[in-house]
Amino acid sequence: RFETAAKVALNGSAQQAYIVLASGEDFPDALSSGYLAHQINGGNILLSRHDSLPAVTADAMRLLGTYTVYVVGGPGAISDSIVAQLRATPQYLLGGQKTNGQGLLQVTRLGGVDRYATNQVVNQYASALHGNANPVGRTAITFGVSSKLTALVATGEDFPDALAAGPATAGVYTNGSSLSGGLPLI
């Protein structure tokens, strides 16, 4: 899975200044990452272990010319030592050449106390990146009628439904009986 994610990211030849890093050991945070990756101009999702950054992931970031890394998940998903390691990593140009004086990777952690809180934080952050200018999350009703805000809701207990629906829109995870904040499902 770590090598596959790196190969997918490296498949294009364009620089990927923005990378989303999620746990490769459990599915929820990686699924939450799709909308964020889309909002950062097609950024790629790479995977990490909890306590160690796989060499293939670090190499992919270097070869892609990464400047910014969004770590999705709290310390229980990706440890603080990984975040510290990333913050001490130099920025690179596309192809892996170290930049001249550009500095270190910019790292932002987007995480919550559990998968549901992380999903909410990631969706809010991704939506704010473009001031909600992106049409994702809106459904046109009929010609001449305003679009309505919509949400795609999938269970956070298993991955198939959220995986299948991921490309459609920003998703919200549920435990099956209520939305985040205790709102009941209708």
Side-chain angles (χ1 to χ4, degrees):
R1 68 187 74 169
F2 305 100
E3 188 174 338
T4 299
K7 284 184 177 182
V8 169
L10 291 167
N11 191 35
S13 60
Q15 180 173 5
Q16 291 295 312
Y18 303 99
I19 290 292
V20 177
L21 185 68
S23 171
E25 297 175 324
D26 201 6
F27 70 91
D29 296 340
L31 283 175
S32 293
S33 300
Y35 179 53
L36 174 61
H38 172 74
Q39 291 295 84
I40 56 174
N41 300 319
N44 284 292
I45 301 170
L46 294 174
L47 302 175
S48 178
R49 296 188 186 285
H50 174 260
D51 284 322
S52 65
L53 186 67
V56 68
T57 300
D59 288 344
M61 282 192 263
R62 180 179 51 80
L63 292 170
L64 288 166
T66 302
Y67 284 24
T68 303
V69 179
Y70 295 100
V71 176
V72 175
I78 296 177
S79 70
D80 288 333
S81 64
I82 298 287
V83 172
Q85 176 186 348
L86 290 169
R87 287 185 174 143
T89 301
Q91 295 176 347
Y92 289 89
L93 300 173
L94 180 63
Q97 180 181 356
K98 191 173 174 182
T99 61
N100 292 325
Q102 292 297 322
L104 304 174
L105 289 177
Q106 299 298 306
V107 181
T108 301
R109 183 191 287 274
L110 301 171
V113 297
D114 60 21
R115 64 183 63 181
Y116 307 105
T118 294
N119 178 257
Q120 185 174 12
V121 167
V122 170
N123 283 335
Q124 288 173 343
Y125 189 89
S127 293
L129 283 175
H130 293 291
N132 292 321
N134 191 310
V136 173
R138 294 197 171 268
T139 302
I141 305 306
T142 61
F143 180 76
V145 176
S146 321
S147 62
K148 293 186 178 182
L149 288 175
T150 60
L152 179 68
V153 180
T155 181
E157 305 300 318
D158 203 1
F159 69 91
D161 294 339
L163 179 64
T169 187
V172 176
Y173 287 165
T174 176
N175 64 11
S177 61
S178 67
L179 294 172
S180 297
L183 298 173
L185 291 176
I186 298 174

